[in-house]
Amino acid sequence: MPNVVDDRVFVLGLNELFRAEKQEYETAVLLPHAERLVAALRLPLLDVPVEGYYYQSEDLRRYFLLIRTLQNAEKQPMPDAAAETALERLRAVYSSPAMGRPCPDLLSLLPRTGSPLGDAMESLGDAASWNVERISRRAAECVTEDDANLVAVAAVTGDPVLLCATRETMALEMALPRCAVERPAYEWAVSPPVAAVARRFIAALERDTGITLPPAMESSAEIYWNWAQHSHLDGRCIAIGEIFGDHYHWYIAHDGEKWTVVDFWSKHLWTTEGMIHTPHEHRPAIGSRAGAPTTPPLPDETAAHTPQEAGLMTKIKRLLTGKSDE
């Protein structure tokens, strides 16, 4: 009797062959890139459970944690050419159709992917509807002509053993699906005048720099909502005017209920960095005149206009603190 290679035997063999080749590729080729990139960006290594086969060696374990760290890091400029090369190499692999369907993620440094299995779970809605038989059957229905990943191969069969085996092999690449009932809704309420100017800005930016931003329209609502949640506004400061060496500043503050803008004057140029490192109770009040960012502004403090005045203020402060005039 011949050894019959049916769907299950073939997919299991494909999975194990790919798994062995993938492990070698990850440790020999990709690990140095991941090490270089995490070190260049000075990212702290995540302390998370090691999934899939990555427990089988120290190199694999290390690789898993490095990639998880990059997947959870936000996009940011690369510090040097070597880091840029490492990122491009890793992105080429993790964006490949062989690793799964692309996920719409504009925030993460390294993408994760989707699959018919994940789509099946999301399409079933409430997690109370999830069970092995129902998910496996729906996964087979979710395979598309564009799918070119290992889990999709298993999904076509509808065999839960194959789905589980292949999904475990892809533990590092694929994202966890969200229950559809928990997916938030987004309402586009941008006023037409704002959207019109934004569209002109986005078009000019792409035309002259090649930088592409999502269009200012309803279909981009989720993207703009998610990016807005990353707005760390407190302390953002900018000088917007100057008269005879006096700088007129605005900075963003929170009054406990809402965001507000505080204006103040200073002979010193205040920056976001200086404002952020100034304790809230020492930040300039509305309409006040402030000293240097490192000096807590006093209610009656005025900035020195001449070197002589500056020297006098220094002497007074030393007398008050008991320090010598050396």
Side-chain angles (χ1 to χ4, degrees):
M1 291 286 291
N3 295 317
V4 178
V5 180
D6 57 12
D7 287 348
R8 174 175 281 196
V9 172
F10 169 69
V11 177
L12 286 176
L14 178 66
N15 181 60
E16 294 306 311
L17 181 60
F18 170 66
R19 190 181 179 101
E21 294 290 338
K22 183 165 172 269
Q23 291 178 24
E24 176 65 24
Y25 187 74
E26 287 171 328
T27 55
V29 179
L30 299 182
L31 178 57
H33 291 298
E35 291 275 17
R36 185 176 302 113
L37 185 54
V38 170
L41 297 176
R42 299 182 179 179
L43 297 174
L45 203 63
L46 287 185
D47 183 13
V48 295
V50 174
E51 302 174 78
Y53 56 73
Y54 293 91
Y55 69 93
Q56 293 178 354
S57 77
E58 285 305 312
D59 280 349
L60 287 171
R61 184 182 296 273
R62 173 76 177 170
Y63 181 73
F64 181 94
L65 295 175
L66 288 166
I67 296 299
R68 272 288 184 263
T69 298
L70 294 169
Q71 289 170 335
N72 283 273
E74 293 183 3
K75 283 185 177 177
Q76 54 195 282
M78 293 298 102
D80 52 49
E84 186 70 42
T85 299
L87 179 60
E88 289 177 359
R89 188 69 188 91
L90 291 170
R91 277 185 178 166
V93 172
Y94 284 90
S95 299
S96 168
M99 299 300 165
R101 297 174 177 175
C103 287
D105 182 0
L106 299 179
L107 304 180
S108 299
L109 193 61
L110 203 61
R112 297 179 74 172
T113 60
S115 71
L117 178 61
D119 276 10
M121 297 173 71
E122 289 186 347
S123 69
L124 287 171
D126 192 339
S129 302
W130 291 355
N131 64 46
V132 173
E133 181 181 355
R134 191 175 291 123
I135 291 173
S136 300
R137 185 169 59 249
R138 182 62 64 87
E141 299 169 355
C142 290
V143 179
T144 70
E145 292 184 356
D146 294 328
D147 279 318
N149 60 83
L150 184 65
V151 175
V153 177
V156 175
T157 70
D159 185 336
V161 172
L162 299 179
L163 278 168
C164 185
T166 55
R167 181 60 180 82
E168 191 263 357
T169 294
M170 305 302 294
L172 189 52
E173 292 80 6
M174 292 188 170
L176 294 177
R178 294 182 300 178
C179 182
V181 72
E182 297 175 355
R183 187 176 183 84
Y186 300 91
E187 176 185 354
W188 182 257
V190 179
S191 63
V194 171
V197 178
R199 282 193 289 270
R200 295 199 295 271
F201 161 66
I202 292 169
L205 184 68
E206 182 173 10
R207 181 187 65 240
D208 298 330
T209 70
I211 297 174
T212 302
L213 298 180
M217 55 194 303
E218 186 174 2
S219 60
S220 303
E222 181 176 1
I223 296 172
Y224 283 109
W225 170 271
N226 287 332
W227 272 98
Q229 307 318 302
H230 289 258
S231 297
H232 304 296
L233 298 177
D234 185 56
R236 291 193 184 183
C237 178
I238 187 69
I240 64 171
E242 185 215 358
I243 300 177
F244 301 119
D246 257 348
H247 300 284
Y248 177 58
H249 300 76
W250 282 9
Y251 75 90
I252 300 175
H254 201 276
D255 64 6
E257 295 183 359
K258 63 184 184 300
W259 291 110
T260 61
V261 172
V262 177
D263 68 338
F264 68 97
W265 293 84
S266 179
K267 286 289 183 182
H268 303 273
L269 185 64
W270 281 62
T271 64
T272 296
E273 181 183 21
M275 189 65 70
I276 288 175
H277 288 92
T278 300
H280 286 75
E281 63 271 18
H282 292 156
R283 290 182 181 181
I286 295 176
S288 67
R289 176 174 293 282
T294 54
T295 304
L298 299 175
D300 59 347
E301 181 180 2
T302 57
H305 287 239
T306 67
Q308 292 78 11
E309 290 174 335
L312 179 60
M313 289 295 294
T314 299
K315 289 182 179 180
I316 292 173
K317 288 179 180 179
R318 284 175 175 170
L319 287 172
L320 290 173
T321 57
K323 294 181 177 180
S324 67
D325 196 25
E326 297 178 355

